[in-house]
Amino acid sequence: MTPAETNWAGNITFGARRLCMPRTEAELQETVAASTTVRALGTRHSFNTVADTAGDLVSVAGLPRTVDIDPAARAVTVSAGLRFGEFAGELDESGFALHNLGSLPHISVAGACATGTHGSGVGNRSLAGAVRALDMVTADGGTVTLRRGDADFPGAVVSMGALGVVTRLTLDLVPAFDVQQWVYEDLPESVLTGGFDEVMSAAYSVSVFTDWRPGPVGQVWLKQRVGHEGPQQAPAEWLGARLADGPRHPIPGVPAGNCTRQEGVPGAWHRRLPHFRLEFTPSNGDELQSEYFVARKDAAAAYEAVGRLRERIVPLLQISEIRTVAGDDLWLSPASGRDSVAFHFTWVPDGEAVAPVLAEIEEALAPFGARPHWGKVFSTAPDVLRTLYARYEDFEKLMARYDPAGTFRNDFLDLNFPR
C-alpha cells in the first residue's frame, strides 16, 4: 500500500502498512492470525477513519464469489465483498428481491451492514435488518457463524469490523417486484413539517431533497411498488408540489444521466430503489457526508431545529436528503429500538469549514437523541454516544470477548469505544 491509497471521497488517506487481498478463506485466516493489527476494507465509501489502521488492511473482494439462493428458505448467502449491484440481478431473475437498497448499488454488503447503511421507507429496515446469519474470521484466525436468535447476533451485525472479518452473509429475501419512480418539485415546507408522515408514507420508498434555503423543498422522490393493478399514472400536482417535467439529479443543475430511471417508467426493484445506476460513478467523490438519525415522531421538530441553522449550512452544502428507516433490534444500528428519520448532508470537500457547522447541527439535534451514521463524518463525543444506545456497554463486552488483544481495534474504535 502506498500513501496514495485513499477512501472514495479522497478525504481519508489510509495509514496501513500494506493492503492484503487473500484469494481463499484459508489465506485470509492465515493473514489475520499473523497480524497484530488488522482491519477489513470494503468499497471505501466511508467518510471517516472507521476502516483505517496502522497495521494491515484486508479486502475480502478477492475471495471466491458466492451467490447461493435458497428458494425454500427465502434467503441468499453471498460473499461479503460483493457489491449489491453485482448480485441483485441474479436475485431478480430467480424471482426474488431484497427488501430495500441504499442510494448506491456500488457499496459492499459487509461494509454497508457493518455501518448501519440504509435506504428509505417507513416500513423498511436498514440493509443490516435483512441479515439472517454471518460468517467471520476471528482474531486468532478461527471462524465463527452467528445466526439470528443467537445471543451475540444482534451485536455482531452492525459492528464496524470490531469483532472479526466477515466473509459471508445470509440475507432475507422477498418476492421480486417492480417499482415506478417519480420526482416532484417545490413541495411547500409547511406541508412537510405539518404532515411529515403523510409525505414519507406516500410510497414504498420516499426521499426528500433540500438545500435548506428558505422556501419550498426542492425535490421529493417517490418510489412506488407496482401492484396487481399494474403501472399507475402520477398526478401533475401532489400535496402542492408539481411533477418534474423530465429526469432529475438530486443536486439541481447536475445532469441526470447516471440516475435510475424516473418519469414513472416501471422497472425491477434493483433498477429503481437506488438513486444511481451501477454502470455509472455517482460523482467524482469531491464531497463529505454526514447523517443523523432521530425518532420519527420527532421528525418535524428536528427539521425545524436544523432549519434554524440555514445560514450556516447553505454555503457549505451540496444537497441534503431526508429518509425514513424502520426500527430494528440490532445493538448499534442507528435505528435500533425506534422508527427513525435520517437527516443526510452532502457537503463541499472542506473538512475544516464543515466541522464547526457539524458541531452546531449536533447541538441542535441533541435534544432528540440524534445518532450519527457510523461511516460518515461526525464529532459526537464518546460519552454522548454511550447514552444513545441501550446496549452500548454490552457491545464493549462483546468486543473484549471476541478480540481480547485488540487485533481489530483502530483509532476510530479507541475514540468511540475506549477501553
Side-chain angles (χ1 to χ4, degrees), residues 3-201:
E5 294 280 2
T6 69
N7 66 338
W8 173 75
N11 69 304
I12 300 293
T13 298
F14 295 113
R17 62 189 178 191
R18 61 175 178 165
L19 172 62
C20 307
M21 295 194 67
R23 298 296 173 181
T24 66
E25 187 167 328
E27 185 182 344
L28 172 61
Q29 291 176 263
E30 292 173 3
T31 299
V32 172
S35 298
T36 56
T37 306
V38 62
R39 290 290 291 169
L41 180 68
T43 44
R44 309 184 189 211
H45 278 79
S46 290
F47 292 80
N48 58 34
T49 59
V50 64
D52 196 19
T53 179
D56 296 330
L57 275 176
V58 174
S59 169
V60 295
L63 295 182
R65 185 181 190 276
T66 299
V67 181
D68 184 7
I69 301 171
D70 184 339
R74 285 194 176 183
V76 61
T77 299
V78 298
S79 40
L82 278 179
R83 300 182 298 167
F84 281 95
E86 292 175 331
F87 69 93
E90 292 177 54
L91 299 182
D92 188 63
E93 291 172 2
S94 298
F96 291 104
L98 299 172
H99 76 287
N100 210 356
L101 290 170
S103 298
L104 305 180
H106 309 71
I107 54 178
S108 71
V109 180
C113 292
T115 54
T117 298
H118 59 96
S120 190
V122 295
N124 297 325
R125 297 165 298 166
S126 71
L127 305 183
V131 177
R132 183 180 297 194
L134 59 84
D135 299 334
M136 65 182 176
V137 173
T138 53
D140 61 0
T143 60
V144 64
T145 297
L146 294 173
R147 298 180 176 84
R148 189 180 290 151
D150 292 345
D152 295 342
F153 176 82
V157 180
V158 181
S159 63
M160 293 156 283
L163 308 182
V165 180
V166 175
T167 56
R168 284 177 297 275
L169 299 100
T170 300
L171 308 174
D172 294 330
L173 296 178
V174 298
F177 56 95
D178 285 348
V179 174
Q180 294 176 270
Q181 179 171 221
W182 295 277
V183 175
Y184 282 86
E185 297 180 305
D186 294 336
L187 178 74
E189 191 174 58
S190 60
V191 173
L192 178 63
T193 56
F196 184 86
D197 282 341
E198 181 181 7
V199 172
M200 302 307 288
S201 301

